[in-house]
Amino acid sequence: MADLTMVEAIRMALSRALEDDPDVIIFGEDVGIDGGVFRATDGLMQRFGAARVRDTPLSETVIAGMAVGAATQGLRPVAEIQFMGFLYSAIDQLANHAGRLRNRTRGRLSCPMVLRAPFGGGVKAPEHHSESMEAMLAHIPGLRVIVPSTPARAYGLLLAAIRDPDPVVFLEPKRLYRALKEPVANDGIALTLDCALVVRDGSDLTIIAWGAMVAEVGRAADALAERGISSEVIDLSSLKPIDRSAVRASVQKTGRCIIVHEAPLTAGLGAEIAADLAEHCLTSLLAPVVRVTGYDTVMPYAQLEDRYMPDAARIQAAAQHVMEFA
Amino acid sequence: MTGNLPDCSAFLDAKGQVLRELPDFARDAETLITLYSMMVKTRVFDAKAIALQRTGRLGTYGSSLGQEAISVGVASAMSEADVFLPSFREHGGQLWRGVSMEELLLYWGGDERGNDFAGPRQDFPVCIPVASHFPHAAGVGLGLAHKGTGGVAVAIAGDGATSKGDFYEAMNVVGVWELPAVFVINNNQWAISMPRAEQTRAETLAQKAVAAGLPGEVVDGNDVIAVREATNRALDRARAGQGGTLIECLSYRLSDHTTADDASRYREDAEVSRHWKTEPLVRLRTHLVAEHGWSKDDEEALLRDSRTETEAAAERYLAMSPQPARAMFDHLYATAPPDIAALAKEMGDG
Ligand SMILES: Cc1ncc(C[n+]2csc(CCOP(=O)(O)OP(=O)(O)O)c2C)c(N)n1
Ligand SMILES: [Mg+2]
């Protein structure tokens, strides 16, 4: 079993999907000879041919909309948006069509498509290249929104997304693309899509995160453990649908909850989780649910990026606050 | 261009005179009568739909009055293996393809089951967000090319749709990937209250194809023969692997935009009256009478049959039991996640 980075694991999953299913096709900007700007599709065009791994003209509307059309014809398009900041014009297609087609035809037509996009900050990219707009996507009925947090999870979740009969937006934390390696087997086994994962057991508080923030939470949990605070860490993983029962079960056990995301605070996904806990776990709560998030501002360009991103120190401070709440 | 339409490719002029040598299909009486019958049926259906709306039994409805030749002409050129992606005004094309009147009424009555038509199963439901189905047509073309069955995607939208990026972006990929897709513009001169002249300075809408490297042509959209003939050629090209085509069909919206619109707020009656002189049914009827022995009795029988069929469809539509509230969740996903399943259960079968 090879040690792989996340971007290598994603490539391995794409390659596996192309091998296993002749209906799988990949398209997007620069995904062909260039192998994608992050190299997620490196070598795939050479191996599977330009009919199955294809460069599109520069149009996010077409990438998403063409995926909708192709999916209705029995293809399994895995389309790439080069950076999440350029996904806005594809939202029209996702919200008006991909997420609706099965419903509005009462099951006659469907959209088994995957839209991949690198997302999030932390790599000092140009402006418009570091946004986290997952809440906008999670608000769209009929979609699934998935974020992996490790190479092995990326492999299994991407295979699951490609095999799923409905549209999936697959967000890849670019900060994690090359951050760590772990053994990933090319076993062709898909993970279950709609599930959160408890990545660390604990008893004093629950910390919920996804994507690159899971590792940041892990660092905070290590530091908190040294001070005798036991954190249960949940990788939400599926942002739509949210695995509410897993979240509730953990908070019912610990009585405290912190939610961490890079996206701005207001109307972020943290608000949805906090509201769900207020509705369903009020009597278990020993402290207010606290959100540690990006700020309500434009995603800063490289110089101030670190000051914007939630980090272990802010997560620890929040943990301290909920632990000390009378 | 809200005055008289410019000269464009037609076989029959407004008076039903043959302008140039007819294509083979248009020399066959039976074919012409079938085309004419569907256009008449579409017009009768439109009138019934509006009557149902006016009496509170149908939702907002966009009539195709005056543009029947476009919809019917395009659909009549298509084969079963092709995929039709209509806008909201192409009832005639949907009827020709086999969607039933009662399914159309069901849909416009506010019930999504109308989109689950018995056939043609591969056709798209009407597209409401203007022009956003052109990228689908590119994707459908890609899928059809992949299957290799010779199918072609045919998408149709209005003149207003050509101002949107989706339209151009989709044409562009159809051009560069040589996809089997035909884009048709029903240029009815109006986009709600916006006249064609205020939509774009481009002299024709067809010329927009040039930027995408596609052939684009203008035909008289009130001449069903011209529409069908142009669509035939475009489909032949697509089937031969020569890629897409843009066809601009010139016509005129004789009705309000929809039942929710009052066109007298923004256009003169005189303009509408002028365009009644060039509408598509009369010219074909005149030609049928002159060349193919179409009689007064034939005409009356056609009208009677169309009305009977429409009335019967309306009755079946009105008698349909409503869908249960849970239907709004039933087809959101192939398998409902727990939250959605719980909502469906809560809503129940009532
Ligand atoms: C993207 C979008 N913008 C606005 C509307 C509201 N709208 C519905 S029809 C219409 C005008 C369409 O004009 P045209 O494309 O010429 O088609 P026609 O109605 O004349 O057939 C508008 C603005 C819409 N449905 N979609
Ligand atoms: Mg129009």
Side-chain angles (χ1 to χ4, degrees), chain B residues 67 88-89 128-130 158-161 164 188 190-192 253 257:
Chain B
Q67 303 136 75
F88 42 79
R89 208 183 287 289
I128 304 292
V130 166
D159 42 303
K164 276 196 79 204
N188 61 11
W190 289 91
I192 309 187
R253 197 193 79 207
H257 170 67

Side-chain angles (χ1 to χ4, degrees), chain A residues 22-25 27 51-52 54-62 64-75 89 92-93 96-97 99-109 140-144 164-167 194 240-242 244 248, chain B residues 83 107 111-113 115-118 120-129 131-133 135-144 146-147 164-166 169-170 172-173 176-179 323 327-339:
Chain A
D23 290 329
V24 170
I25 53 163
F27 53 77
R52 294 187 70 198
R54 197 159 186 187
D55 288 321
T56 60
L58 206 165
S59 164
E60 283 68 25
T61 299
V62 155
M66 196 161 57
V68 171
T72 65
Q73 298 307 302
L75 290 177
S89 59
D92 183 24
Q93 287 295 331
N96 278 323
H97 298 294
R100 292 179 80 108
L101 195 58
R102 179 188 292 283
N103 182 265
R104 73 187 291 256
T105 61
R106 292 299 189 249
R108 183 171 62 83
L109 298 176
I140 300 174
L143 298 185
R144 280 189 166 77
D164 191 81
D166 290 305
D194 299 347
K240 185 179 190 74
I242 293 173
R244 295 174 195 270
R248 290 173 199 164
Chain B
V83 177
Y107 175 71
D111 187 329
E112 293 89 343
R113 288 177 299 178
N115 282 337
D116 184 18
F117 31 79
R121 297 292 284 172
Q122 77 280 17
D123 280 9
F124 269 54
V126 298
C127 182
I128 304 292
S132 62
H133 58 317
H136 305 161
V140 169
L142 181 67
L144 291 170
H146 198 81
K147 283 187 206 162
K164 276 196 79 204
D166 327 30
E169 291 172 57
N172 187 59
V173 75
V176 74
W177 285 17
E178 294 185 323
L179 295 171
Q323 48 180 349
M328 73 175 89
F329 304 113
D330 281 346
H331 295 284
L332 195 54
Y333 297 95
T335 310
D339 285 8

Side-chain angles (χ1 to χ4, degrees), chain B residues 145 150-152 171 173-182 212-216 232-246:
Chain B
V152 180
M171 262 199 311
V173 75
V174 165
V176 74
W177 285 17
E178 294 185 323
L179 295 171
V182 176
L214 295 185
N232 272 338
R233 279 186 285 110
L235 288 169
D236 287 347
R237 267 200 298 277
R239 288 194 224 291
Q242 291 164 7
T245 303
L246 175 65

Side-chain angles (χ1 to χ4, degrees), chain B residues 61-336:
Chain B
Y61 178 82
S63 159
S64 63
L65 186 66
Q67 303 136 75
E68 298 89 347
I70 299 173
S71 212
V72 171
V74 167
S76 73
M78 293 172 65
S79 78
E80 244 176 83
D82 300 329
V83 177
F84 190 45
L85 299 98
S87 69
F88 42 79
R89 208 183 287 289
E90 305 305 329
H91 320 296
Q94 288 192 291
L95 289 172
W96 183 284
R97 297 274 297 161
V99 181
S100 72
M101 287 184 178
E102 99 203 53
E103 286 163 337
L104 288 182
L105 291 173
L106 191 61
Y107 175 71
W108 292 108
D111 187 329
E112 293 89 343
R113 288 177 299 178
N115 282 337
D116 184 18
F117 31 79
R121 297 292 284 172
Q122 77 280 17
D123 280 9
F124 269 54
V126 298
C127 182
I128 304 292
V130 166
S132 62
H133 58 317
F134 285 121
H136 305 161
V140 169
L142 181 67
L144 291 170
H146 198 81
K147 283 187 206 162
T149 51
V152 180
V154 180
I156 181 161
D159 42 303
T162 65
S163 295
K164 276 196 79 204
D166 327 30
F167 164 68
Y168 169 71
E169 291 172 57
M171 262 199 311
N172 187 59
V173 75
V174 165
V176 74
W177 285 17
E178 294 185 323
L179 295 171
V182 176
F183 290 4
V184 180
I185 298 305
N186 169 351
N187 178 357
N188 61 11
Q189 313 302 324
W190 289 91
I192 309 187
S193 66
M194 281 289 281
R196 158 65 180 84
E198 287 181 42
Q199 201 64 242
T200 173
R201 281 287 169 93
E203 194 182 329
T204 71
L205 303 178
Q207 80 189 42
K208 296 192 176 202
V210 173
L214 295 185
E217 69 177 292
V218 186
V219 301
D220 186 338
N222 290 340
D223 177 10
V224 73
I225 299 171
V227 174
R228 176 162 164 160
E229 193 271 339
T231 312
N232 272 338
R233 279 186 285 110
L235 288 169
D236 287 347
R237 267 200 298 277
R239 288 194 224 291
Q242 291 164 7
T245 303
L246 175 65
I247 304 170
E248 175 186 3
C249 302
L250 293 176
S251 185
Y252 188 83
R253 197 193 79 207
L254 291 170
S255 64
D256 291 337
H257 170 67
T258 63
T259 49
D261 177 49
D262 171 9
S264 70
R265 293 170 61 85
Y266 52 79
R267 70 178 184 187
E268 301 291 332
D269 285 348
E271 179 188 308
V272 181
S273 305
R274 206 161 58 241
H275 284 285
W276 267 107
K277 297 194 184 98
T278 56
E279 67 85 43
L281 268 55
V282 169
R283 71 179 68 186
L284 185 52
R285 181 164 67 238
T286 309
H287 177 72
L288 285 174
V289 170
E291 302 293 328
H292 299 287
W294 185 254
S295 68
K296 213 163 165 244
D297 285 352
D298 292 332
E299 180 71 16
E300 274 165 17
L302 171 61
L303 277 174
R304 198 171 50 241
D305 291 350
S306 299
R307 288 194 187 114
T308 309
E309 186 184 339
T310 307
E311 289 302 325
E315 265 164 45
R316 284 193 301 275
Y317 153 64
L318 292 169
M320 281 194 69
S321 48
Q323 48 180 349
R326 64 168 292 155
M328 73 175 89
F329 304 113
D330 281 346
H331 295 284
L332 195 54
Y333 297 95
T335 310

Side-chain angles (χ1 to χ4, degrees), chain A residues 72-291:
Chain A
T72 65
Q73 298 307 302
L75 290 177
R76 294 259 165 177
V78 184
E80 179 180 302
I81 299 289
Q82 204 160 64
F83 290 90
M84 195 180 205
F86 311 125
L87 190 143
Y88 293 97
S89 59
I91 286 186
D92 183 24
Q93 287 295 331
L94 291 174
N96 278 323
H97 298 294
R100 292 179 80 108
L101 195 58
R102 179 188 292 283
N103 182 265
R104 73 187 291 256
T105 61
R106 292 299 189 249
R108 183 171 62 83
L109 298 176
S110 60
C111 258
M113 60 178 268
V114 176
L115 195 66
R116 297 176 40 245
F119 98 124
V123 299
K124 310 267 186 238
E127 273 192 281
H128 302 277
H129 286 65
S130 300
E131 341 298 298
S132 302
M133 46 195 276
E134 68 268 25
M136 292 187 197
L137 298 167
H139 200 63
I140 300 174
L143 298 185
R144 280 189 166 77
V145 182
I146 304 295
V147 182
S149 60
T150 70
R153 303 269 306 155
Y155 176 83
L157 288 170
L158 183 52
L159 280 182
I162 296 169
R163 292 174 195 166
D164 191 81
D166 290 305
V168 179
V169 182
F170 194 82
L171 302 177
E172 300 167 1
K174 51 185 168 301
R175 187 179 173 180
L176 299 184
Y177 267 153
R178 294 184 172 78
L180 75 146
K181 287 191 175 199
E182 70 178 355
V184 188
N186 192 7
D187 52 14
I189 297 175
L191 293 171
T192 312
L193 277 185
D194 299 347
C195 295
L197 184 73
V198 177
V199 293
R200 178 183 185 125
D201 284 316
S203 54
D204 294 328
L205 82 161
T206 300
I207 312 182
I208 298 163
W210 48 91
M213 286 296 111
V214 175
E216 207 61 37
V217 168
R219 276 188 281 281
D222 286 343
L224 290 166
E226 280 171 26
R227 283 189 268 152
I229 298 170
S230 162
S231 312
E232 177 145 305
V233 179
I234 293 183
D235 169 8
L236 196 64
S237 184
S238 173
L239 309 189
K240 185 179 190 74
I242 293 173
D243 187 350
R244 295 174 195 270
S245 59
V247 171
R248 290 173 199 164
S250 175
V251 175
Q252 273 154 4
K253 182 175 80 174
T254 63
R256 298 177 184 88
C257 183
I258 294 173
I259 305 145
V260 183
H261 57 66
E262 292 179 39
L265 177 87
T266 301
L269 265 191
E272 176 58 35
I273 296 166
D276 187 80
L277 293 173
E279 278 183 46
H280 296 278
C281 301
L282 190 62
T283 55
S284 306
L285 287 173
L286 304 170
V289 176
V290 170
R291 290 168 289 168

